[in-house]
């Protein structure tokens, strides 16, 4: 009997695939490089094994079939759980175990790169899935260890933050109104310029100020206070 388990974040959530598919496809290519020699012959060098892809087709049942391996959810609820994991951008641990006549053993970190499905007329959720093996980042601390999924998630969150910061540098924030977004250090200066009619904004009453413009106006305002008072 073959059992398939999917889990995330060091077994924080575990899914036992309820209906074992009749066929599980495993593909793994071998990288090669080909060079032309001075004698106009070709030499092919065998490279590293590429990461595996595993796929199957089955269904998530809503009926209590005798061959059902798991009853914690019903039908599309299984697919919704998988899509929730995908939205969290977490690596998924795939474990396939076998007993009896079947000979298969898989334990790998992967991503759900494809998940297609539809509800059948009987209410069951028919689906196809593809999982591609991923190479979790390694770190060295006295010896080389594999990152846990929680550590991987932390790194991804930091990368997302860096990406957002980079986008903000390329697209600086525009301060159009005197509201809670206006930097606190510039409130008095900007309000004074508006009250005296020196800063009116556009026809839409939008100020169109960047952070650097606000800082420059504050510097000038402070300088004028020191020189002429005000």
């Amino acid at each position: 009997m073959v059992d398939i388990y999917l889990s995330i974040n060091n077994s924080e959530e575990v899914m036992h695939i309820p209906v074992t598919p009749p066929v599980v496809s495993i593909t793994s290519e071998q990288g090669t490089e080909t060079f032309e020699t001075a004698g106009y012959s070709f030499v092919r060098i065998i490279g590293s094994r590429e990461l595996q892809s595993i796929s199957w087709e089955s269904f998530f049942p809503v009926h209590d079939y005798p061959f059902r391996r798991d009853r914690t959810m019903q039908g599309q609820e299984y697919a919704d759980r998988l899509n929730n994991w995908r939205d969290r951008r977490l690596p998924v641990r795939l474990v396939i175990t076998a007993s009896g006549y079947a000979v298969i053993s898989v334990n790998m970190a992967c991503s759900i790169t494809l998940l297609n499905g539809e509800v059948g007329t009987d209410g069951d959720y028919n689906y196809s899935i593809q999982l591609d093996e991923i190479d979790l980042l390694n770190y060295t601390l006295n010896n080389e260890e594999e990152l846990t999924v929680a550590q991987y998630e932390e790194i991804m969150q930091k990368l997302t933050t860096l990406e957002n910061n980079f986008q903000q540098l390329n697209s600086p924030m525009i301060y159009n109104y005197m509201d809670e977004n206006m930097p606190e250090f510039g409130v008095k200066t900007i309000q004074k310029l508006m009250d005296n009619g020196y800063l009116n904004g556009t026809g839409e009453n939008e100020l169109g100020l960047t952070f650097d413009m606000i800082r420059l106006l504050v510097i000038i305002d402070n300088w004028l206070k020191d020189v002429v008072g005000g």
Side-chain angles (χ1 to χ4, degrees):
M1 180 63 69
V2 175
D3 286 285
I4 302 176
Y5 299 89
L6 298 172
S7 63
I8 61 166
N9 208 15
N10 296 318
S11 299
E12 171 193 329
E13 297 180 32
V14 179
M15 178 184 296
H16 187 181
I17 297 300
V19 178
T20 302
V23 176
V24 176
S25 299
I26 303 175
T27 60
S28 178
E29 298 182 359
Q30 185 84 29
T32 60
E33 292 186 63
T34 303
F35 299 92
E36 184 177 1
T37 67
Y40 302 105
S41 60
F42 292 89
V43 175
R44 176 166 294 164
I45 299 177
I46 299 176
S48 302
R49 180 187 66 83
E50 296 183 6
L51 300 177
Q52 297 182 95
S53 290
I54 295 182
S55 61
W56 67 81
E57 295 182 2
S58 186
F59 66 94
F60 296 131
V62 295
H63 304 288
D64 195 19
Y65 300 110
F67 52 81
R68 187 168 174 171
R69 309 289 290 167
D70 179 83
R71 291 174 172 81
T72 57
M73 291 179 284
Q74 297 294 332
Q76 190 173 341
E77 292 178 351
Y78 287 95
D80 292 342
R81 177 68 58 83
L82 292 176
N83 281 321
N84 176 264
W85 292 357
R86 298 174 79 188
D87 291 340
R88 294 175 64 183
R89 299 173 64 184
L90 289 176
V92 175
R93 176 66 60 179
L94 169 65
V95 175
I96 304 178
T97 61
S99 59
Y101 64 89
V103 180
I104 183 173
S105 179
V106 174
N107 186 337
M108 72 179 193
C110 56
S111 64
I112 303 174
T113 54
L114 181 144
L115 180 61
N116 293 330
E118 60 182 4
V119 177
T121 55
D122 56 358
D124 293 332
Y125 189 87
N126 303 306
Y127 73 96
S128 59
I129 189 171
Q130 178 178 322
L131 301 107
D132 290 340
E133 183 180 10
I134 60 175
D135 187 10
L136 291 178
L137 301 174
N138 291 325
Y139 73 104
T140 302
L141 201 90
N142 295 327
N143 57 357
E144 190 173 87
E145 301 178 53
E146 186 182 76
L147 284 177
T148 65
V149 176
Q151 290 167 330
Y152 179 88
E153 183 179 20
E154 181 182 357
I155 290 174
M156 292 304 297
Q157 289 174 344
K158 290 180 178 179
L159 288 175
T160 300
T161 300
L162 289 173
E163 181 181 359
N164 291 336
N165 291 339
F166 179 76
Q167 290 177 351
Q168 290 178 6
L169 288 174
N170 287 336
S171 302
M173 181 173 180
I174 303 299
Y175 301 89
N176 283 319
Y177 307 102
M178 185 62 71
D179 55 18
E180 66 276 2
N181 293 319
M182 181 65 64
E184 185 177 354
F185 72 89
V187 170
K188 289 184 179 180
T189 295
I190 301 304
Q191 189 63 59
K192 182 172 69 174
L193 292 172
M194 292 173 64
D195 292 342
N196 287 279
Y198 298 120
L199 187 60
N200 297 318
T202 66
E204 304 259 337
N205 292 322
E206 294 180 348
L207 299 175
L209 298 173
T210 65
F211 185 88
D212 287 339
M213 292 169 67
I214 295 171
R215 185 175 61 175
L216 180 59
L217 289 171
V218 171
I219 292 172
I220 294 174
D221 186 34
N222 291 335
W223 177 77
L224 289 173
K225 288 178 184 178
D226 292 339
V227 175
V228 299

